[in-house]
Amino acid sequence: MKKNYFGSPSNYIYNIIVIISFFLSCICLFKYSTSSEYLKFFYLKFLYFFIITFLVLFLLRFILDRAIITYINISLLSIGVALIIMELFININIKKSQAISDLENRAYHAKKLGLEFDKRSKFEVYNEMLKRKVKVAPSIPPNDFFVNYKFYKSKEDIYSLSGVSNIKTVFCNEGGKRIIYESDRHGFRNKKEVWDRNEVDFILLGDSYAQGACVKDKDTIHERISFYTNKSILNLGYQGHGPLMQLAALKEYGSTKKPKKIIWFYLETNDIDNLVYEYQWDVFKNYLIKPSYSQNLLLKQEQINKNHNLIIKLIYADKEIGDKEKKSKTKYTAKNFVFDLKQVIKLYNLRLLISYFIPREYSLVNDYYSPLKTFKTYEKILDEAIKVSSKWGGQIYFVYIPSSSRYFSGGIQRYSQRKYEYMKKMILGKKLRLIDLKKEVFEKYDNQNLYPLNLNGHPNEKGYDLIAEYISKILMEK
């Protein structure tokens, strides 16, 4: 009996699936042929997948009988419905989490604990101080200028590694009190007299942990290290720094002080992500590929201040742009609905979730994709830092800092967290001194108590003190 490939409802459904796979193959081919070199491999993965899917389904329709076609239809439709339900579930949970800001969530938990909490955002505190004629600036991560505020700068501009110098700097609030500190002559967070020294014993390189996020000056890691060791330390850490910025800080500032010991922070939360963004900008990539490259930032603080103040004025003039901690609630419109519908159809949030657990070159969304071999590139950056510091006999102490999400996410580990053993092996292979805070600090204490209000974020005063105490112990070993 001759098979009927088109007459039954089952075959109609199967044909529609085949046509959809062909249509998606054409879209991927178009995207691949018109995309930049940076995104070629991203679209190539999908192109292969949909072409193979189309060819297999197309050939099977001539081989399989109607009953098996029906089973395939049921399987494919079931998978499709399940994926849509998962996407909707993720989308709804994202909307719920976005309904309340981190600041509001912390204020809520502080109230439950009977603690006071300053609900004002950085934007609000900054503008209130301006009205009182206080000389003030907000702390803005340097990487914000090429991630969130890239329209305010060109690639030819000077790119600072710090903030405005000699000014009250409005920082973060995770425990209840908004931190405001006085920046030093180069926009970092140090006692001003440390720059008067020809040499220092230690320098600290890192991101917001090194900067002392959300604690007073006396409770920052570098001040606690100074307390425990009675040695001089220059803190060159700043929020948003990734490994290329740390290398840049070592070359631009650290090399002038010739420290015998360099404390190099590695935060598994976002250092690799920061590297992806940094590497796309020649101004930072040059610190790795051009050994003698420099922006001469040490001599350009006046220009850095001028650029920062101009951009701050533009950003903080608009609450919608400047107030990232308190987003105004907007009405859900038809445009929002269309956007959400597109995301559901494309399974965007599901693909993004999966992408967090695989290397970024295999990411399923282009926003998170990078062709960069991130961990190999990180190793090259570290090799360059070793080469630079060896010129004056400096030794790098590699500090492994676990992501706080390890202790608040029920054991779910992203890709970067699963590279813990890889990183340890790599560091020990270079004969660097490894300071493993995951093993020696956070796993030895009730780790959630080391964070403000027992919430995910930066460490509290106790957490920073334990970190500094252990680092100091290793630094002072003979």
Side-chain angles (χ1 to χ4, degrees), residues 2 19 69 96 138 145 160 289 303 311 315 317 359 377 444:
K2 189 176 181 180
I19 291 169
I69 290 290
K96 284 182 179 179
F145 293 121
S160 171
I289 64 176
Q303 182 63 42
I311 293 173
I315 293 170
T377 305
K444 289 187 174 181

Side-chain angles (χ1 to χ4, degrees), residues 122-301:
K122 182 191 293 186
F123 176 90
E124 291 168 336
V125 172
Y126 166 73
N127 279 289
E128 286 176 15
M129 293 179 73
L130 277 185
K131 289 177 182 177
R132 300 201 309 268
K133 307 298 182 183
V134 177
K135 186 182 177 185
V136 64
S139 174
I140 299 178
N143 64 349
D144 262 8
F145 293 121
F146 56 86
V147 177
N148 297 316
Y149 305 135
K150 56 187 176 184
F151 301 110
Y152 295 93
K153 289 177 76 72
S154 74
K155 290 193 174 185
E156 289 71 40
D157 287 345
I158 295 172
Y159 274 80
S160 171
L161 302 171
S162 58
V164 181
S165 66
N166 298 319
I167 197 169
K168 290 188 182 302
T169 303
V170 184
F171 202 9
C172 53
N173 175 12
E174 290 183 352
K177 181 177 176 59
R178 178 67 57 179
I179 297 301
I180 301 170
Y181 69 87
E182 188 83 16
S183 62
D184 64 28
R185 69 182 67 169
H186 292 292
F188 293 100
R189 191 177 186 182
N190 290 288
K191 291 179 179 176
K192 295 185 178 181
E193 58 268 21
V194 73
W195 288 103
D196 295 329
R197 292 174 172 267
N198 292 325
E199 294 184 358
V200 294
D201 297 304
F202 314 137
I203 63 166
L204 175 59
L205 301 167
D207 60 0
S208 51
Y209 272 65
Q211 191 181 357
C214 310
V215 295
K216 296 177 181 178
D217 287 344
K218 66 182 180 65
D219 297 310
T220 59
I221 291 175
H222 69 283
E223 287 296 336
R224 298 308 296 163
I225 289 175
S226 180
F227 169 80
Y228 282 117
T229 64
N230 199 30
K231 300 285 186 178
S232 59
I233 181 170
L234 176 64
N235 177 22
L236 298 177
Y238 209 88
Q239 62 178 144
H241 275 202
L244 278 174
M245 286 191 181
Q246 289 176 219
L247 177 63
L250 175 64
K251 289 186 171 185
E252 294 280 359
Y253 299 100
S255 60
T256 66
K257 299 299 180 183
K258 297 179 171 53
K260 294 301 180 185
K261 297 181 179 180
I262 297 100
I263 307 164
W264 180 286
F265 276 8
Y266 170 76
L267 182 61
E268 66 179 12
T269 307
N270 54 18
D271 272 16
I272 295 300
D273 290 341
N274 287 339
L275 171 58
V276 169
Y277 301 122
E278 291 173 340
Y279 202 81
Q280 295 177 47
W281 290 71
D282 288 343
V283 69
F284 295 114
K285 184 166 64 176
N286 285 340
Y287 286 103
L288 174 62
I289 64 176
K290 296 181 179 180
S292 60
Y293 174 79
S294 174
Q295 295 186 81
N296 295 311
L297 297 180
L298 201 66
L299 306 176
K300 296 180 179 178
Q301 191 60 46

Side-chain angles (χ1 to χ4, degrees), residues 6 49 109 114 193 223 235 255 264 275 344 361 385 398 438:
F6 302 98
F49 175 79
H109 280 85
E193 58 268 21
E223 287 296 336
N235 177 22
S255 60
W264 180 286
L275 171 58
V344 170
E361 60 261 39
F398 187 92
K438 174 181 176 294

Side-chain angles (χ1 to χ4, degrees), residues 327-468:
K327 291 294 182 182
S328 58
K329 293 177 173 60
T330 56
K331 187 178 179 181
Y332 192 77
T333 63
K335 186 177 179 180
N336 298 131
F337 174 77
V338 171
F339 177 80
D340 287 342
L341 182 61
K342 286 181 179 178
Q343 284 200 321
V344 170
I345 293 171
K346 292 179 178 180
L347 303 175
Y348 176 83
N349 290 303
L350 178 59
R351 290 187 289 125
L352 179 60
L353 179 64
I354 294 171
S355 298
Y356 289 147
F357 301 95
I358 58 178
R360 289 189 67 150
E361 60 261 39
Y362 301 116
S363 171
L364 301 181
V365 294
N366 61 4
D367 296 340
Y368 200 68
Y369 168 78
S370 170
L372 186 66
K373 303 293 184 183
T374 48
F375 284 91
K376 293 297 183 184
T377 305
Y378 189 98
E379 188 172 353
K380 291 178 182 178
I381 293 169
L382 202 54
D383 286 339
E384 179 65 14
I386 293 169
K387 182 180 176 182
V388 170
S389 56
S390 66
K391 292 178 181 178
W392 62 81
Q395 181 182 4
I396 291 179
Y397 286 67
F398 187 92
V399 182
Y400 191 101
I401 306 175
S403 170
S404 57
S405 64
R406 280 183 177 271
Y407 314 115
F408 293 92
S409 301
I412 298 174
Q413 294 184 9
R414 291 190 177 191
Y415 179 70
S416 61
Q417 295 169 0
R418 290 186 282 111
K419 299 292 281 186
Y420 168 65
E421 293 296 336
Y422 170 89
M423 291 297 291
K424 285 206 308 180
K425 184 178 179 181
M426 184 264 285
I427 295 305
L428 294 175
K430 296 183 184 299
K431 295 181 171 53
L432 297 181
R433 190 66 169 88
L434 172 65
I435 301 178
D436 187 352
L437 296 182
K438 174 181 176 294
K439 178 182 176 182
E440 300 298 338
V441 175
F442 287 93
E443 291 182 356
K444 289 187 174 181
Y445 296 88
D446 184 358
N447 37 56
Q448 288 195 2
N449 283 332
L450 303 183
Y451 298 91
L453 308 174
N454 288 4
L455 295 175
N456 195 354
H458 296 89
N460 55 22
E461 292 82 356
K462 180 181 178 182
Y464 279 134
D465 185 62
L466 289 171
I467 289 171

Side-chain angles (χ1 to χ4, degrees), residues 312-330:
I312 289 168
K313 187 176 180 180
L314 292 171
I315 293 170
Y316 276 70
D318 187 338
K319 183 175 174 60
E320 283 297 312
I321 299 173
D323 200 348
K324 295 169 66 178
E325 293 180 333
K326 280 188 179 180
K327 291 294 182 182
S328 58
K329 293 177 173 60
T330 56

Side-chain angles (χ1 to χ4, degrees), residues 48-85:
Y48 282 153
F49 175 79
F50 286 118
I51 285 178
I52 292 170
T53 301
F54 164 70
L55 291 174
V56 169
L57 292 175
F58 182 77
L59 292 174
L60 287 178
R61 68 191 288 275
F62 295 104
I63 299 171
L64 304 177
D65 59 33
R66 186 178 300 170
I68 296 177
I69 290 290
T70 300
Y71 292 138
I72 292 175
N73 286 341
I74 292 171
S75 299
L76 292 176
L77 288 174
S78 298
I79 292 171
V81 170
L83 291 175
I84 291 293
I85 290 173

